[in-house]
Amino acid sequence: MSGPRIGILALQGDVREHARALSAAGARPVEVRRLAELAAVDGLVLPGGESTTIGRLLRVFELLEPLRAAVVAGLPVFGSCAGMILLARDVVDGRPDQPLIGGLDMVVRRNAFGRQVDSFEVDLDVVGVEGPPVHAVFIRAPWVDKAGDAVEVLARVAEAPVAVRQGPLLATAFHPELTGDSRMHRLFVDIVRSSGSGR
Amino acid sequence: MAPDWSEKRRHIMSQGQTAATAGPATDSARHAGTARVKRGMAEMLKGGVIMDVVTAEQARIAEDAGAVAVMALERVPADIRAQGGVARMSDPDMISEIIEAVSIPVMAKARIGHFVEAQVLQALGVDYVDESEVLTPADPHHHIDKWSFTVPFVCGATNLGEALRRIAEGAAMIRSKGEAGTGEVSNAVVHMRTIRAEIGRLSALPAEELYAAAKELRAPVELVAEVARLGHLPVVLFTAGGIATPADAALMMQLGADGVFVGSGIFKSGDPARRARAIVEATTMFNDPDVLVKVSRGLGEAMVGINVAELPPAARYADRGW
């Protein structure tokens, strides 16, 4: 098999769904729990899950600083939901001590759409995704409260940005891995390919 | 895409109801309370630990330790066993305090068949309802019609047929029942092995034999066929009941659980915060014995526990529900 080798941070969350979507998008998915595994990937997905849990485990298993360094060095990363929170500069309505990786110049609001009874599905137009609208699943989802000039907004719900890109970093408040539509993952695989770290 | 039987059933079951568009969505194109949104929520909990808590303070300890969610209840199963009496839904004040105290999802238990307790929990804003055999069943014949709610439900099961009956009623997540409040993991092991083995047998059957299989499982043939095709349940399968140590959690994960519920095992032990952290780390690194050694050290006393074999039949919660 060819295609870039894309890791999925597998400390907690919907890892299998991202693996399926990455395979469908032409990448080779591998689970990442250890430093050596992180060093061997061309790009990384931060899955949906609980951002406080994943953040704490990143610290415990000594992946937080290496991941921050990898992002600074230009590793392409795609985060969905909890993954979007982890890529933010700061978080509102989170826990004050919640560890973040950072990289995207934005502040996100955690559980911005409400609790689980407020979770929803909706069709969204996403910049850079050809064809019909993306069917987006929002589960206790965040939105972007503030974004710097370098952050490109790819999609909004009402006024709030819910899909963003800054260089090789991509984030969605929704879960493209849950719908069987691999176009968001294909967009990320293209980012990985063009970032030149493909081997 | 393959037709989603559950969505169809949901649609059929919700005729005349408004669940499909319920919720405070401001945009008419938004759909809340769908099977995908309910099941998807459980997918996000995978690889995580859900902890029973009885106070806001315990909820904060659980969140600090890395729990993916907390289960708010008035008494942990070990105390329900010890104290006896009727076990019911928790006090709404206590649930609200816990919702206020933490940023992670909050679950709460309703009695089997007690759909009004479930309505109260939904109105309180809990993120998942556990229709639980740990509480005293309210209806000896009928479980809650879970399709008619916006909030998702998790239900216990001891075998595949029971799991599929709950999914047919609208459960968006299944957990093994185990034997709650004992600190003894054997029943959880049996339930997990049974469900996996029964799925394995289904997957090997020719299509024409699925009808008889459905009859034996006492489950809808469409769901039986879906499981045979997928090779797993169409919803997330967690484990619960008797998990008391990091090794117990890792055992259940190696047996194929998607995640772990811990009831009495944490706050009935000597050092709850430390044990909670250790069980979270063991659930993530369930396949790494070096990590398991490290996290299993110096945890203090585990809950004392009860041997399931010594429980009289009337004291077995796993037999509640059908």
Side-chain angles (χ1 to χ4, degrees), chain A residues 12 34 95 110 115 121, chain B residues 34 44 63-64 103 125 127:
Chain A
Q12 190 272 318
R34 293 173 188 79
R95 287 173 47 101
R110 199 162 157 229
R115 305 191 66 83
E121 309 179 38
Chain B
T34 61
M44 300 312 142
E63 184 179 44
D64 287 345
S103 67
D127 296 295

Side-chain angles (χ1 to χ4, degrees), chain B residues 74-250:
Chain B
E74 221 151 52
R75 296 183 285 171
V76 294
D79 287 335
I80 294 172
R81 280 188 188 284
Q83 295 160 8
V86 177
R88 309 180 178 90
M89 175 189 78
S90 300
D91 178 352
D93 278 346
M94 182 273 253
I95 295 170
S96 294
E97 275 169 34
I98 288 172
I99 288 175
E100 283 302 308
V102 294
S103 67
I104 55 178
V106 176
M107 302 184 167
K109 288 181 192 286
R111 283 179 267 178
I112 289 174
H114 206 313
F115 53 87
V116 173
E117 285 189 348
Q119 289 164 4
V120 170
L121 294 175
Q122 174 169 285
L124 272 172
V126 306
D127 296 295
Y128 240 93
V129 174
D130 184 1
E131 187 181 18
S132 177
E133 70 282 359
V134 169
L135 305 185
T136 310
D139 188 327
H141 303 295
H142 303 284
H143 282 250
I144 296 170
D145 172 19
K146 294 165 274 286
W147 296 113
S148 66
F149 286 80
T150 305
V151 69
F153 283 74
V154 55
C155 288
T158 60
N159 57 50
L160 180 59
E162 195 176 359
L164 295 182
R165 288 192 290 281
R166 296 296 86 78
I167 294 168
E169 294 157 1
M173 178 180 189
I174 295 293
R175 54 172 175 76
S176 68
K177 283 183 176 171
E179 194 52 60
T182 61
E184 216 241 81
V185 77
S186 65
N187 275 28
V189 168
V190 170
H191 300 161
M192 192 58 62
R193 281 197 188 277
T194 302
I195 292 169
R196 304 258 330 219
E198 288 175 317
I199 291 173
R201 277 199 291 278
L202 271 193
S203 295
L205 288 182
E208 69 270 20
E209 293 184 17
L210 291 174
Y211 300 96
K215 185 183 153 202
E216 279 162 27
L217 288 166
R218 295 188 289 131
V221 67
E222 295 89 341
L223 263 182
V224 169
E226 188 181 2
V227 170
R229 181 169 50 81
L230 293 173
H232 55 78
L233 294 179
V235 303
V236 164
L237 173 62
F238 266 50
T239 185
I243 288 108
T245 69
D248 287 348

Side-chain angles (χ1 to χ4, degrees), chain B residues 24-70:
Chain B
T26 53
D27 173 348
S28 61
R30 291 193 204 174
H31 296 284
T34 61
R36 188 183 264 147
V37 161
K38 290 173 170 178
R39 293 174 179 190
M41 166 83 208
E43 304 284 356
M44 300 312 142
L45 301 173
K46 282 191 299 197
V49 181
I50 300 165
M51 302 181 190
D52 277 3
V53 297
V54 300
T55 63
E57 182 51 31
Q58 288 186 355
R60 277 188 285 265
I61 291 172
E63 184 179 44
D64 287 345
V68 288
V70 292

Side-chain angles (χ1 to χ4, degrees), chain A residues 160-173:
Chain A
V162 293
V164 294
R165 177 176 174 185
Q166 182 179 354
L169 304 178
L170 179 68
T172 59

Side-chain angles (χ1 to χ4, degrees), chain A residues 5 7 28 32 48 69 79 87 94 96 105 108 128 133 138 146 160 168 172 177 195:
Chain A
R5 201 177 146 86
R28 290 174 296 157
V32 170
L87 285 173
D105 182 19
V108 296
F138 290 81
K146 271 183 249 153
T172 59
E177 71 277 14
S195 79

Side-chain angles (χ1 to χ4, degrees), chain A residues 95-198:
Chain A
R95 287 173 47 101
D97 58 344
Q98 183 171 347
L100 301 176
I101 297 163
L104 279 168
D105 182 19
M106 64 177 182
V107 178
V108 296
R109 183 173 296 272
R110 199 162 157 229
N111 302 333
F113 290 97
R115 305 191 66 83
Q116 172 59 16
V117 290
D118 309 313
S119 294
F120 62 96
E121 309 179 38
V122 72
D123 286 331
L124 274 187
D125 288 318
V126 180
V127 175
V129 175
E130 304 279 315
V134 171
H135 190 68
V137 183
F138 290 81
I139 297 174
R140 284 175 54 97
W143 70 41
V144 178
D145 249 17
K146 271 183 249 153
D149 293 338
V151 176
E152 183 190 3
V153 175
L154 306 181
R156 295 174 190 269
V157 166
E159 292 301 305
V162 293
V164 294
R165 177 176 174 185
Q166 182 179 354
L169 304 178
L170 179 68
T172 59
F174 54 90
H175 295 281
E177 71 277 14
L178 289 183
T179 56
D181 175 351
S182 58
R183 287 177 295 165
M184 286 303 305
H185 288 79
R186 234 173 284 156
L187 177 62
F188 181 58
V189 171
D190 287 343
I191 291 172
V192 173
R193 282 207 174 100
S194 65
S195 79
S197 65

